[in-house]
Amino acid sequence: HRDLHSFPTRRSSDLYDCDGVTATSIMYIGLKKYGFDVITRLPDRVKDGYGAKCYMVDEAIEAGCDCIITVDNGIAALDVYEYAKEKNIAFVVTDHHQPLNSIPGKFVIDPWITDDYPMKNICGALVAYKFIYALLQDDSDNIDEDLNKEIVSLAAIATVADIMDLVGENRYYVNEGLKYIASSDNEGIKALFKES
């Protein structure tokens, strides 16, 4: 399977925003740690527009995937969910945008779909972080500390870049991420430091 480095180089202006890219990184890093084969698909702003598309389901099938997980989008992708269902592909949505009238399937993680979740204004990368954190916890509620440092750093960057209010859990996760960013081994974070 391909990884993030196998995709053709594109201008950063053609890719989506920091939140989507860091959410993709969090999901990729976490799922790889958990032992999954992972292929990422970063949309091109001009060619793909916003959100999941049915042809992306076809691309996933062609690549041998049996599950699609969206990050920072998907809550409005009812047609894509139905198409994936027809093709026997599991479709999991992790998003932070408000849903329209219906939810695309049973596997949706979004702070807006329940009244019980108190903090609605979190970014897509933080939703991805929480998904991975929950997935990777063992019976003692622990998570690999190095992995946690890496992915919470990415979630902190996205929280600030997506201009989330720095209150409540946003403030907490940005504070946690800032503890680790400067010493991160993450290639993307190191490249940001080098460029700045």
Side-chain angles (χ1 to χ4, degrees), residues 31-139:
L31 292 174
K32 290 293 277 189
K33 176 74 175 180
Y34 203 64
F36 288 99
D37 288 327
V38 182
I39 297 172
T40 60
R41 171 64 156 83
L42 295 172
D44 182 290
R45 187 179 297 272
V46 176
K47 294 177 187 169
D48 297 315
Y50 175 79
K53 304 284 189 274
C54 290
Y55 63 81
M56 294 175 184
V57 174
D58 293 332
E59 290 173 4
I61 292 168
E62 189 176 307
C65 299
D66 56 11
C67 179
I68 295 171
I69 303 175
T70 71
V71 295
D72 192 27
N73 79 85
I75 198 67
L78 300 172
D79 59 331
V80 181
Y81 161 72
E82 290 297 334
Y83 187 70
K85 188 175 172 183
E86 288 173 18
K87 299 288 186 175
N88 294 316
I89 300 292
F91 193 75
V92 179
V93 172
T94 70
D95 202 347
H96 71 120
H97 298 99
Q98 293 187 40
L100 302 174
N101 297 327
S102 300
I103 304 295
K106 294 187 257 181
F107 306 109
V108 178
I109 299 99
D110 187 314
W112 291 97
I113 64 171
T114 177
D115 291 334
D116 295 338
Y117 196 79
M119 185 83 182
K120 303 296 185 200
N121 293 316
I122 62 176
C123 68
L126 189 52
V127 174
Y129 169 81
K130 288 170 167 274
F131 176 86
I132 292 298
Y133 191 89
L135 184 68
L136 296 179
Q137 285 181 337
D138 62 22
D139 292 334

